[in-house]
Every structure is written in C-alpha cells, then in structure tokens.
C-alpha cells in the first residue's frame, strides 16, 4: 500500500485543521431550535415543489394551493414545497437531511383561516376576502384522501384547528391525521413520479399511433385527377379535384409557382421520380384545408428566406411573438396553415430555408420525410417547424440546415424515430410542454436535444446523441429524461431545471459526462451509468447536490473502493465532482489519498457540519456494477474504449487495501 508523501500529508492535515476551526464557529452560528423562526412570504422561498401549470391555473382561476416551507440547518435559504405531501415525503428521505441538514422548522398552509370550499374540479376556493395563513406542521391536522385536488393530482389539506379539519373531511371525504402519520403514509415521491411518467409515455405513444393510423387513411383516397391527362397543371388539378380524392402526378418534373390547397385533397406522386420544382421565390405548397395531404414526391426550388426578419426592437411585439412570427413565416417546401389533420408523408425536400412548417394545424402528421437543408447552419433554417398545435413527426431524416425539428407552443407533440445530422440542434423545443421526444438519433450537432423557456412535463426518452458539442440540454421542470444514450460528445447530459428526473441514462466516452448547472438541488439523478468520460461531473457553484434516493444511486465505473458486505454498493459516499474522488482509479496516488485517515476525517466533519459541505455532487450509494451492462458495453465499443472499467471493482479494492474509509 502506497504511503502519502510529506507534501500530501501536510496538505491534508492543513485542510483538516482549517475545517475543524471553522466547524467550531459553524456550530455557534447554526440555530439549535426553530422557536425563533417564523414563516416568510412563499415568493421569498427557494421553490422546490409543485408545477408551473398548477400555479398558473391557480392565479388565473382564483383557487389556492397547499404549500409548505422548511428551515434547514445546512441551507441558508428557506425551502418552499408546492404541496404538503411532497414536503412530508422529502423530509422522510435520509438524503434530504444529508443535502440540506436537519429541519429546524416546518410550516404548512393553514386552511382554517379561509373556510375552504371545493369547486366543481375539486380545487380549494377560499371565502371571499380571506388569505391562507401558516401553521406549524407538528401541531397541524391534515385531511388526506378527500375530493380536494390541484391540477396535477390529489391534494393534502392542513388545518390548524382539528374541528375545521374534521368538518371538511365530513363534507368532502378523507381522513384526518397528524404530521407524523402523514409522513408514514405518503408514498415515495420519486416512485410516484416515475409511475406517472410511465403512464403518460404510454398515453402519448397511443395518441401518436392513433393519429398516424388516421392520417394513413387520407393517403388512400380514390384517384380523381391525373396531371397531364385530366388537367394541364398541378394548380388546375387541385382546383378540379373533388374533396376527399387524390390528385396524381406521374413521374416527371413539374414547374410551379405557389400551389394553394383550399380543399381536403391528397397530392400524390410516383415517388422521388415525381419532382415539384418551385420558382425559388417562396413556399411551394400552402395547405389551408383540414385533412389536406402531400405524399410520394420530391420538392425543390424553395425560396431562400428562412425568417421574415421581424424587427425584435418593435415594442408592440414581445420576444415570444416575434420569434413565432419570424420562424413560422419563412419560406418552406410545404406550409400547413390552420389545416388540422394535415399529412406530409414520403416526401424528399431540398431547401435553402425550411422544409415543412405546421402553423396551428392540430393533429397533423409528418412522416418519412427526407429534408436536405443548406450546407451550414448559418445559411439554412429548420427541417420541420411545429407552431401552436399538437403534431407528430416520425421516421424522418433531417440533414444539414439549422435545426432538425423546432417546436413553439406545440404542447403535446410527439417527435420520434427521426435522424439528424449534422446541424445546430437536432430537436429544439421552445415554450412547449407535455411532449414525447423518443428514439431519435442525432450526430455531429452543436446540441442534440435542447429544451428551452421553462416548459413542464416533457418526456425525453430513449434518444441517442453522439459526436456533438452538447448531448441533451434540459430546462423547465417536472420532466423526465430517461434511457438516453449520450456518447462521444464534449458534454454528455446536462442536469438542470426544477424537479426534473434523470434516470437510466447511459453516459459514455464524453469529455464531460454530466454537467450540473441546476441552481436549486431539486432534481432526481438515479440509476444512470456514467462510464469512461474524461471528467465524470462538472458542477457550477451552488449547494451540494445529492444524486441518491432511498439508497439508490448511480454507476460511475469501477472504483478502487471497498464493498465489504457485497451488496453492490460501495461502503462510503462517492463525490464524482470532488478534487480527489473524481480521479480515483485514474491518477496515481489518489486512492491512497482518498483512503487516508486525514481524508476520512475531513469527510466525516463535512457530513456532521452541514455549513461546511462543499459545492458539487455526492452519491451516497454509488453502485459497483452497471444498471444496464449491455448498453454500456455497446456504447464503449462504439467509442473504441476498453470495457475494463465496467468490471466489478471488488478485486481492485482488495489490492489497494480495502479498508473502509
């Protein structure tokens, strides 16, 4: 066993001495009880619960939300939870105490102050002129299992007076319990969330399948007009065709200006041999009727104006509207404009601007497209743009140009089984919530998948991003990033947002595996395999983030740490962003330094003295083997990286001393 050098010994001893000195001061400054702590305005808390949808609806419709706020010994700010059950469950989780310290005081909404009634939707409406107060959780009475709800689900209502709680339960159902009982009865918030995400994923897939099946019917309409036989031009054929029939274009090249489709017809070619060539001065097809469709042909000659270039300094337009107008009104091969249930399928597009723009056309389907954009992102624009309506984009390929698929307030859309390479962004979501982005493959992009402008309830599942600058970049809250594979990027997966869940992702061979940029430590990061990255985790300044939940952490590769009981979890917490732990197994001497008595003392002091906890990331239940070994080996083989770091580290830990630090 290697010994510490004199320099290493002096460094560790010096650091421990400083920590112990500061610890004595910290104990004096840390409050020892919550008696002097009083509730604050909820807007002044660090909000770590609830959803933006709940808040917006409550403000618009005049109902109230149950809330909690907690004073912790190891976190300088008051933490707010949107929901009493969320706070109860979080405080019952040991990892919460490790991250924030012990709870000094817990306050909950006091519904005794508002004489609440329920709306038809089950939302809590206060008596006119009354405001919700606060009461200590330990002395409150909680109604569980009643008809009370918030938009995102059932609600637990607290009352300072037992009589008020009993009367509410008698009128609206439910039981009355105390704080301790509530904590024992609430479920695991992460497991509840995972179950909800799985249900929603199934629901969104089902909706997409049904929408595509219905769209296929519009591609099988009877043929009524053949261009060149029954009508001289494409425009004339469209005018002559009865509704719910097909205009057929045999193989050949058809020169057109701009074709406007004002009836529910299908324009069908004979495959890529049918070429529609625009005049290079605008959009080629405008679909302005519900159920209109274009299929089985190739389009060239699109205008080169990607954005109409609205002046963003125009004070009458906010930024959101400006971007929507600019992006949605450029040139494209096909524009669907207020054309619900429109279909574009089996179409090849060459465009210097956008491929397909879907504007306020609900339940539209873009399927099996091949879009070739401009040679560079700066010259081109979007492959497909979805604005203001729920649509499906699937089984398509987007090459070059700027962004593959761009969404703008297209809530509920499904983007699946597409390929993107190269370009600026593969999938780019703006102001868009409740989407499913799944089974897409991105190569050589600046960013594979990026979610912006704080949306909620998005599911980013099963995608693969390789050889890009950034793999997946999230934003917003209450969303699910799971089972994605990010390999060979500069930055693999960014952990950001509010109350997002990052689970079962495979992060291999990136310059930086995970990048923690969340300011609030409210995200769940569990069951991920993070292997063979040049740097496992990069973290910004901020509080310590605990990436463990109820004893389940992540896999960081084989570490020279002991697992004495053989339970598959290393015996001590692992800090992948730490100056020493980050180099375990990679840099000579780090194993000895990490297992030295001085370093062990330093870790114990930080655990006890919450005010001295470092910024960064800690995993209190780091796993000795991958969660998905097949996916890890496949990803590592793709990067031509040896899979030696995938093996169990038990033998290595024995060779390096194996003593629990």
């Amino acid at each position: 066993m290697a010994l510490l050098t004199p320099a290493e010994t002096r460094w560790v001893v010096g650091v421990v001495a400083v920590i112990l000195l500061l610890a004595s001061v910290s104990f004096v400054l840390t409050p020892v009880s919550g008696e002097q702590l009083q509730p604050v305005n909820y807007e002044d808390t660090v909000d770590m619960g609830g959803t933006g949808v709940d808040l917006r609806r409550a403000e618009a419709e005049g109902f109230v939300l149950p809330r909690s706020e907690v004073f912790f010994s190891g976190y300088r700010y008051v933490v707010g939870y949107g929901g009493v059950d969320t706070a109860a469950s979080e405080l019952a989780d040991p990892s919460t105490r490790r991250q924030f310290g012990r709870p000094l005081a817990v306050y909950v909404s006091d519904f005794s102050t508002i004489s609440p009634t329920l709306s038809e939707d089950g939302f809590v409406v206060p008596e006119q002129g009354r405001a919700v107060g606060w009461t200590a959780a330990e002395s409150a009475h909680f109604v569980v299992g009643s008809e009370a709800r918030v938009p995102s689900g059932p609600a637990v209502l607290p009352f300072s007076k037992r009589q008020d709680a009993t009367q509410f339960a008698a009128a609206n159902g439910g039981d009355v319990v105390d704080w301790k009982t509530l904590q024992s009865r609430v479920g695991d918030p992460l497991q509840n969330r995972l179950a909800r995400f799985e249900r929603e994923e199934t629901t969104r897939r089902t909706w997409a399948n049904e929408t595509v099946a219905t769209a296929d019917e519009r591609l099988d309409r009877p043929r009524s007009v053949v261009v060149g036989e029954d009508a001289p031009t494409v425009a004339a054929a469209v005018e002559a065709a009865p509704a719910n029939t097909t205009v057929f274009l045999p193989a050949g090249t058809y020169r057109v200006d701009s074709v406007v489709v004002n009836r529910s017809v299908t324009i069908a070619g004979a495959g890529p041999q049918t070429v529609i060539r625009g005049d290079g001065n605008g959009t080629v097809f405008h679909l302005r009727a519900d159920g209109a469709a274009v299929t089985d042909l190739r389009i060239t000659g699109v205008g080169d104006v990607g954005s109409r270039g609205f002046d963003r300094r125009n004070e009458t337009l906010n930024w959101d509207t400006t971007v929507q107008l600019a992006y949605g009104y450029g040139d494209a091969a096909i524009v669907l404009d207020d054309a619900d249930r429109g279909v574009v399928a089996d179409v090849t597009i060459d465009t210097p601007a956008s491929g397909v723009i879907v504007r306020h056309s609900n339940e539209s389907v873009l399927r099996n497209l091949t879009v070739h954009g401009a040679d560079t992102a700066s010259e081109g624009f979007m492959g497909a743009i979805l604005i203001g309506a729920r649509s499906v984009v699937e089984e398509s390929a987007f090459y070059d140009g700027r962004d593959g698929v761009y969404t703008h307030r297209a809530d509920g859309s499904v983007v699946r089984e597409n390929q993107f390479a190269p370009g600026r962004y593969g999938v780019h979501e703006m102001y868009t919530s409740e989407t499913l982005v799944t089974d897409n493959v991105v190569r050589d992009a600046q960013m594979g998948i990026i979610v912006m402008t704080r949306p909620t309830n998005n599911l980013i599942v099963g995608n693969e991003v390789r050889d890009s600058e950034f793999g997946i970049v999230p934003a917003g809250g209450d969303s699910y990033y799971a089972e994605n594979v990010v390999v060979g990027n500069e930055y693999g997966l960014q952990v950001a947002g509010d109350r997002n869940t990052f689970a079962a992702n495979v992060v291999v061979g990136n310059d930086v595996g995970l990048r923690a940029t969340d300011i609030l430590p409210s995200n769940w990061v569990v069951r991920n395999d993070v292997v063979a990255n040049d740097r496992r985790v990069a973290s910004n300044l901020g509080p310590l983030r605990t990436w463990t939940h109820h004893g389940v952490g992540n896999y960081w590769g084989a570490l020279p740490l002991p697992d004495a009981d053989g339970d598959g979890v290393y015996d001590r917490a692992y800090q992948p962003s730490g100056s020493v732990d980050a180099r375990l197994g990679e840099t000579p001497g780090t194993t000895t330094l990490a297992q030295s008595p001085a370093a062990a003392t330093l870790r114990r002091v930080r655990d006890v003295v919450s005010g001295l906890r470092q910024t960064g990331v800690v995993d209190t239940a780091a796993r000795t083997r991958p969660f998905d070994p097949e996916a890890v080996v496949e990803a590592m083989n793709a990067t031509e990286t040896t899979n030696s770091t995938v093996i169990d580290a038990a033998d290595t830990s024995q060779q390096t001393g194996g003593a629990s630090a």
Side-chain angles (χ1 to χ4, degrees):
M1 176 177 171
L3 299 176
L4 292 175
T5 66
E8 290 171 336
T9 302
R10 287 193 298 272
W11 178 84
V12 171
V13 171
V15 170
V16 171
V18 172
I19 292 295
L20 292 175
L21 175 62
L22 291 174
S24 63
V25 176
S26 178
F27 281 125
V28 172
L29 297 178
T30 301
V32 295
S33 75
E35 294 178 356
Q36 75 275 29
L37 301 175
Q38 297 299 320
V40 300
N41 292 330
Y42 190 81
E43 292 72 19
D44 296 331
T45 68
V46 175
D47 186 1
M48 292 180 57
T51 68
V53 174
D54 289 354
L55 179 59
R56 287 193 294 270
R57 286 197 60 182
E59 292 174 345
E61 299 176 25
F63 60 86
V64 295
L65 304 172
R67 290 166 165 170
S68 310
E69 55 184 46
V70 183
F71 295 78
F72 287 101
S73 64
Y75 193 59
R76 62 180 299 180
Y77 304 108
V78 181
V79 177
Y81 293 93
V84 175
D85 51 341
T86 302
S89 181
E90 286 295 292
L91 292 175
D93 184 354
S95 65
T96 300
R97 177 168 295 211
R98 178 181 180 87
Q99 183 157 278
F100 296 107
R102 58 191 177 86
L104 301 175
V106 182
Y107 291 99
V108 294
S109 299
D110 183 6
F111 285 88
S112 287
T113 63
I114 64 169
S115 300
T117 57
L118 298 184
S119 70
E120 292 182 0
D121 295 323
F123 303 153
V124 179
V125 179
E127 190 175 78
Q128 187 172 4
R130 293 197 175 189
V132 180
W134 294 99
T135 187
E138 290 186 355
S139 60
H141 310 277
F142 301 87
V143 178
V144 298
S146 73
E147 297 175 0
R149 298 180 57 80
V150 295
S152 57
V156 174
L157 302 189
F159 296 82
S160 59
K161 299 178 181 178
R162 183 175 183 84
Q163 179 181 356
D164 295 336
T166 302
Q167 289 178 350
F168 183 89
N172 302 285
D175 302 321
V176 179
V177 301
D178 60 17
W179 176 242
K180 185 176 180 180
T181 303
L182 176 65
Q183 286 186 288
S184 67
R185 290 178 58 168
V186 294
D188 183 335
L190 178 57
Q191 293 304 319
N192 293 341
R193 186 173 296 252
L194 292 175
R196 173 168 64 85
F197 287 143
E198 290 177 1
R199 291 193 301 270
E200 291 180 353
E201 181 181 350
T202 299
T203 298
R204 295 175 197 182
R205 287 185 186 274
T206 300
W207 172 82
N209 292 340
E210 293 173 349
T211 301
V212 170
T214 302
D216 286 343
E217 297 174 2
R218 294 189 282 281
L219 302 180
D220 194 28
R221 290 164 166 159
R223 186 181 299 178
S224 63
V225 180
V226 178
V227 179
E229 297 179 9
D230 304 314
T233 65
V234 176
V238 171
E239 286 297 320
N244 300 313
T245 65
T246 295
V247 173
F248 180 68
L249 288 72
T253 298
Y254 301 81
R255 297 181 181 275
V256 302
D257 293 330
S258 180
V259 179
V260 178
V261 182
N262 284 320
R263 63 190 65 193
S264 182
V265 298
T266 297
I267 301 172
Q273 295 77 25
T274 298
V275 179
I276 307 297
R277 181 168 297 168
D279 61 5
N281 189 31
T283 291
V284 179
F285 282 106
H286 284 271
L287 307 187
R288 293 178 175 168
D290 293 350
V294 177
T295 185
D296 285 327
L297 46 78
R298 180 170 187 161
I299 300 174
T300 65
V302 181
D304 61 1
V305 179
S307 168
R308 302 323 292 188
F310 287 85
D311 189 349
R312 296 186 182 181
R313 295 170 295 179
N314 188 334
E315 296 181 358
T316 65
L317 297 177
N318 61 37
W319 185 83
D320 174 17
T321 303
T322 299
V323 172
Q324 186 174 166
L325 292 173
Y327 286 11
Y329 288 84
D331 296 337
I334 303 172
V335 170
L336 283 69
D337 197 351
D338 288 314
D340 292 350
R341 300 178 301 282
V343 186
V344 181
D346 304 302
V347 173
T348 299
I349 297 170
D350 296 290
T351 176
S354 291
V356 181
I357 299 175
V358 180
R359 291 198 300 253
H360 308 289
S361 300
N362 196 40
E363 297 186 359
S364 293
V365 172
L366 311 183
R367 179 167 59 81
N368 197 27
L369 309 182
T370 302
V371 180
H372 297 274
D375 291 338
T376 66
S378 61
E379 295 173 323
F381 223 62
M382 318 303 191
I385 298 177
L386 309 180
I387 293 180
R390 189 182 192 189
S391 301
V392 178
V393 182
E394 68 171 16
E395 299 175 4
S396 297
F398 300 91
Y399 301 107
D400 300 313
R402 188 174 300 182
D403 299 349
V405 174
Y406 172 85
T407 71
H408 197 109
R409 298 200 183 281
D411 292 355
S413 292
V414 174
V415 180
R416 63 182 183 181
E417 300 177 38
N418 303 288
Q419 297 183 24
F420 307 90
R424 185 181 69 162
Y425 307 151
V427 179
H428 181 188
E429 294 197 329
M430 292 273 285
Y431 297 101
T432 304
S433 298
E434 300 177 356
T435 63
L436 173 62
V437 178
T438 184
D439 300 324
N440 300 286
V441 176
V442 185
R443 295 285 189 276
D444 300 311
Q446 290 182 29
M447 295 187 184
I449 299 171
I450 179 169
V451 180
M452 300 178 68
T453 58
R454 298 188 60 77
T456 62
N457 200 11
N458 289 307
L459 310 182
I460 314 299
V461 180
N463 303 283
E464 181 182 304
V465 182
R466 296 177 186 264
D467 305 322
S468 299
E469 186 175 347
F470 290 85
I472 299 176
V473 180
D478 196 30
S479 295
Y480 186 46
Y481 296 81
E483 301 176 18
N484 300 290
V485 177
V486 286
V487 178
N489 307 286
E490 291 185 34
Y491 294 91
L493 175 61
Q494 184 163 298
V495 177
D498 183 17
R499 304 177 311 281
N500 290 326
T501 302
F502 300 84
N505 298 287
V506 174
V507 184
V508 172
N510 305 280
D511 293 351
V512 175
L514 300 179
R515 187 175 183 228
T517 62
D518 50 331
I519 302 300
L520 311 178
S522 62
N523 296 309
W524 283 283
V525 183
V526 295
R527 303 185 66 86
N528 300 287
D529 292 318
V530 186
V531 184
N533 301 281
D534 291 348
R535 186 177 178 186
R536 294 181 178 99
V537 173
S539 63
N540 292 350
L541 292 176
L544 182 70
R545 305 158 178 94
T546 301
W547 287 355
T548 313
H549 183 74
H550 286 306
V552 179
N554 303 274
Y555 175 69
W556 303 97
L559 302 173
L561 298 174
D563 174 20
D565 57 6
D567 65 350
V569 175
Y570 291 114
D571 291 344
R572 74 159 174 88
Y574 173 66
Q575 191 165 355
S577 62
S579 55
V580 176
D581 274 9
R583 295 300 178 186
L584 280 179
E586 300 175 2
T587 303
T590 54
T591 300
T592 302
L593 179 60
Q595 294 186 0
S596 68
T601 301
L602 181 105
R603 286 193 295 271
R604 286 195 294 270
V605 168
R606 285 173 177 160
D607 282 348
V608 174
V609 186
S610 55
L612 297 179
R613 291 176 181 144
Q614 287 183 326
T615 184
V617 171
V618 64
D619 187 340
T620 61
R623 186 179 171 96
T624 63
R625 290 183 177 274
F627 289 94
D628 190 345
E630 292 184 5
V632 169
V633 171
E634 181 179 350
M636 295 183 71
N637 288 339
T639 62
E640 299 181 354
T641 303
T642 176
N643 61 8
S644 61
T645 57
V646 183
I647 63 172
D648 193 339
D651 294 337
T652 305
S653 65
Q654 295 297 327
Q655 295 170 7
T656 56
S660 178

